[in-house]
Amino acid sequence: MRDVIVEDGLSPPLMATLHMLGESAMTMRELAESIGLEPSNLTGIVDRLELRGLVERQSSPDDRRIKRVSLTRSGTAMRKRLIERLQRPTPWMLTLSRTDQRQLLTILRKALQSSNAVPATPPEPASSKSRR
């Protein structure tokens, strides 16, 4: 994650917001709930993303008071790069044996279990060519 922050200047809240926005626009409320923020706290985050040309806000056709947020082309490209980077194992993870990776995943799942932030099916540990 540090490389994304350094290279692209994206803070964790900006990354989370880009990550949650997908193909279709979301209302500010929907987006805030998906990230776990109050809508008022999301406003500054969306402002920063909008200034960078990564998202755009539009009034809802049904109710002009409701703002919908969507990715721009630049935002879609940035989101794709972000997801690709975050799916790659970090170098320190590759130094762990597969057994150690599994133990780490078990420990992290236990730590996160109460927040329901853990997928039901665990991913396989990253392959480590030299370790077993």
Side-chain angles (χ1 to χ4, degrees):
M1 181 160 51
R2 178 172 281 160
D3 64 328
V4 176
I5 293 170
V6 171
E7 288 177 32
D8 296 318
L10 293 176
S11 66
L14 295 178
M15 287 190 289
T17 303
L18 279 179
H19 184 261
M20 293 310 296
L21 282 169
E23 300 289 323
S24 58
M26 297 174 79
T27 67
M28 291 285 283
R29 179 167 300 285
E30 291 167 340
L31 184 55
E33 287 174 0
S34 71
I35 300 170
L37 296 174
E38 290 295 320
S40 61
N41 294 334
L42 182 64
T43 301
I45 294 168
V46 172
D47 287 345
R48 288 190 298 272
L49 290 170
E50 198 170 32
L51 282 172
R52 294 181 66 164
L54 300 174
V55 300
E56 61 185 2
R57 273 183 271 219
Q58 297 174 339
S59 296
S60 171
D62 301 328
D63 186 343
R64 292 184 347 191
R65 296 172 296 176
I66 298 174
K67 301 295 182 207
R68 298 184 66 75
V69 182
S70 59
L71 293 171
T72 61
R73 284 186 184 175
S74 296
T76 300
M78 175 69 78
R79 179 179 186 268
K80 182 180 177 184
R81 283 195 313 271
L82 170 69
I83 290 170
E84 287 171 358
R85 281 189 196 149
L86 294 176
Q87 288 177 340
R88 279 187 255 148
T90 59
W92 69 264
M93 287 180 182
L94 295 175
T95 65
L96 299 175
S97 69
R98 289 183 65 80
T99 300
D100 288 344
Q101 289 178 28
R102 283 191 184 101
Q103 287 176 339
L104 177 60
L105 283 171
T106 299
I107 291 166
L108 292 172
R109 262 195 208 89
K110 286 179 183 178
L112 295 173
Q113 207 166 28
S114 64
S115 68
N116 290 332
V118 179
T121 306
E124 276 296 308
S127 65
S128 178
K129 295 177 185 175
S130 63
R131 304 255 177 167
R132 273 270 177 230

